[in-house]
C-alpha cells in the first residue's frame, strides 16, 4: 500500500512535470479546461481566442503531453 | 483528408476529456464510427483523461519545476527501482489499474457531468477475467450516454458496444479500441433513452460478449 501511494505520488509529479514541458499555450488550454474545469467559452474569452482555437490547443496539447510523458518514461 | 475530418479531428482532445455535449459530441461520435484514423488517435489520447487526478493546477502553473535534467535523473532512478522490485503477475497489474480507474472516475468526474447532470453508476460484469471495468450512465433527450472506464482490453482490438432496449432490440452504441493495461475512458452514445434501456454489452472483435450490465 505504501509503495502504491509512493508510485501515485511519483506518477502525479511526472504528469505535472510533463505539463510544465509543453508550450504555455497548450498547458494553459489543458489546465484551464481540464484541471480547473472552466467552460470552454469562458476560457476562450479570457485568452482572446475562438472556442475552436481553444479546442485545437486542447487536442495538440494532449498530443504534446503524451509525447512529453513518453520521453520522460511516464506511462500515459 | 477532408476539411470535415480535419476539423473533427481537432475536437478529439475535448471529446476524450468528456468536454463536448450535444451536437458536437454526436458529430464526433458519428465520425468515429467511420474513421479508423480518428479512432486510433482517440485511443492514444483517452488514457490521458484520467491522469490529472491528484495533479494540482496551482503547482503546474505557479511552481517552477526542477531543472529538466534533474527531473530526468529522478525518473531514471524511479524506473530502475521499479524494474528491480516489480515482478508482479499481470493480474496484480490489472487490479492496480482498476484501482486507478476507480480513483480517476471519482477524482475527475465528481459524480456529475460538466453540466451538473448526475451520473448513474451501474454494475458491470466482466465475462473476461482479464478485464476490469465500471460504467456511469448519463440520460439525454436524444438517448443515453455510457461513460465506460476500464483496463485489460486487448490493445488495438476493436470492441463494439450495444444497448438492449425494453423490446430486446440491440442498438449500436459505438466502438472503441482496446488499450491493454492502460486505463481506458470512453463515452459511448446510444439512441435508446435511459428509461427504455434494459442493459448493454461490450463485444470483442469476434462478437463474444466480454462485459455486460443490467440496467433494470
Amino acid at each position: 500500500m505504501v509503495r502504491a501511494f509512493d508510485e501515485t505520488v511519483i506518477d502525479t509529479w511526472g504528469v505535472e512535470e510533463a505539463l510544465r514541458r509543453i508550450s504555455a499555450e497548450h498547458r494553459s488550454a489543458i489546465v484551464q479546461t481540464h484541471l480547473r474545469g472552466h467552460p470552454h467559452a469562458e476560457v476562450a474569452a479570457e485568452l482572446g481566442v475562438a472556442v475552436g482555437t481553444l479546442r485545437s490547443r486542447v487536442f495538440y496539447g494532449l498530443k504534446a503531453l503524451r509525447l512529453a510523458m513518453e520521453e520522460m518514461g511516464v506511462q500515459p | 483528408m477532408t476539411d470535415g475530418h480535419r476539423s473533427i479531428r481537432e475536437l478529439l482532445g475535448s471529446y476524450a476529456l468528456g468536454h463536448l455535449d450535444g451536437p458536437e459530441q454526436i458529430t464526433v461520435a458519428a465520425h468515429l464510427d467511420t474513421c479508423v484514423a480518428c479512432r486510433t488517435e482517440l485511443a492514444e489520447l483517452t488514457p490521458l483523461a484520467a491522469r490529472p487526478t491528484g495533479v494540482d493546477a496551482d503547482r503546474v502553473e505557479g511552481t517552477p519545476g526542477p531543472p529538466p535534467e534533474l527531473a530526468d535523473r529522478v525518473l531514471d532512478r524511479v524506473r530502475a527501482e521499479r524494474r528491480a522490485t516489480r515482478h508482479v503477475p499481470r493480474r496484480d497489474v490489472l487490479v492496480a489499474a482498476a484501482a486507478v480507474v476507480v480513483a480517476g472516475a471519482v477524482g475527475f468526474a465528481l459524480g456529475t457531468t460538466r453540466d451538473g447532470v448526475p451520473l448513474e453508476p451501474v454494475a458491470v460484469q466482466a465475462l473476461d477475467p482479464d478485464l476490469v471495468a465500471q460504467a456511469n450512465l448519463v440520460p439525454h433527450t436524444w438517448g443515453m450516454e455510457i461513460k465506460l472506464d476500464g483496463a485489460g482490453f486487448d490493445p488495438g482490438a476493436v470492441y463494439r458496444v450495444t444497448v438492449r432496449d425494453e423490446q430486446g432490440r440491440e442498438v449500436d452504441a459505438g466502438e472503441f479500441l482496446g488499450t491493454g493495461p492502460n486505463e481506458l475512458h470512453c463515452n459511448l452514445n446510444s439512441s435508446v433513452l435511459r428509461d427504455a434501456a434494459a442493459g448493454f454489452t461490450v463485444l470483442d472483435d469476434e462478437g463474444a460478449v466480454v462485459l455486460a450490465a443490467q440496467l433494470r
Side-chain angles (χ1 to χ4, degrees), chain B residues 1-10 31 34-35 38:
Chain B
M1 295 291 177
T2 64
D3 285 346
H5 166 86
R6 189 174 298 116
S7 62
I8 290 174
R9 175 173 174 258
E10 294 190 351
H31 179 72
T34 60
C35 182
C38 281

Side-chain angles (χ1 to χ4, degrees), chain A residues 7 16 55 63 72 75, chain B residues 24 41 59 79 86:
Chain A
E7 292 194 357
E16 290 180 357
R55 289 184 174 150
K63 288 172 74 73
M72 293 167 61
Q75 183 77 31
Chain B
E24 282 181 321
E41 200 138 46
R59 279 202 302 264
R79 282 193 293 270
R86 183 179 287 170

Side-chain angles (χ1 to χ4, degrees), chain B residues 128-187:
Chain B
D128 180 334
D130 284 340
L131 295 181
V132 289
Q134 67 165 28
N136 288 280
L137 305 180
V138 185
H140 291 284
T141 53
W142 43 261
M144 181 182 73
E145 180 181 354
I146 302 168
K147 292 181 173 295
L148 180 68
D149 305 320
F153 295 93
D154 288 342
V158 176
Y159 291 83
R160 190 162 62 86
V161 181
T162 62
V163 173
R164 189 176 66 260
D165 70 12
E166 49 199 352
Q167 278 87 42
R169 201 167 49 106
E170 294 288 341
V171 179
D172 188 38
E175 297 178 335
F176 62 88
L177 289 176
T179 57
N182 295 331
E183 303 146 44
L184 175 149
H185 303 266
C186 64
N187 301 329

Side-chain angles (χ1 to χ4, degrees), chain A residues 47-62:
Chain A
L47 296 174
V49 300
V51 171
T53 302
L54 177 66
R55 289 184 174 150
S56 174
R57 288 181 185 178
V58 170
F59 172 67
Y60 289 107
L62 286 178

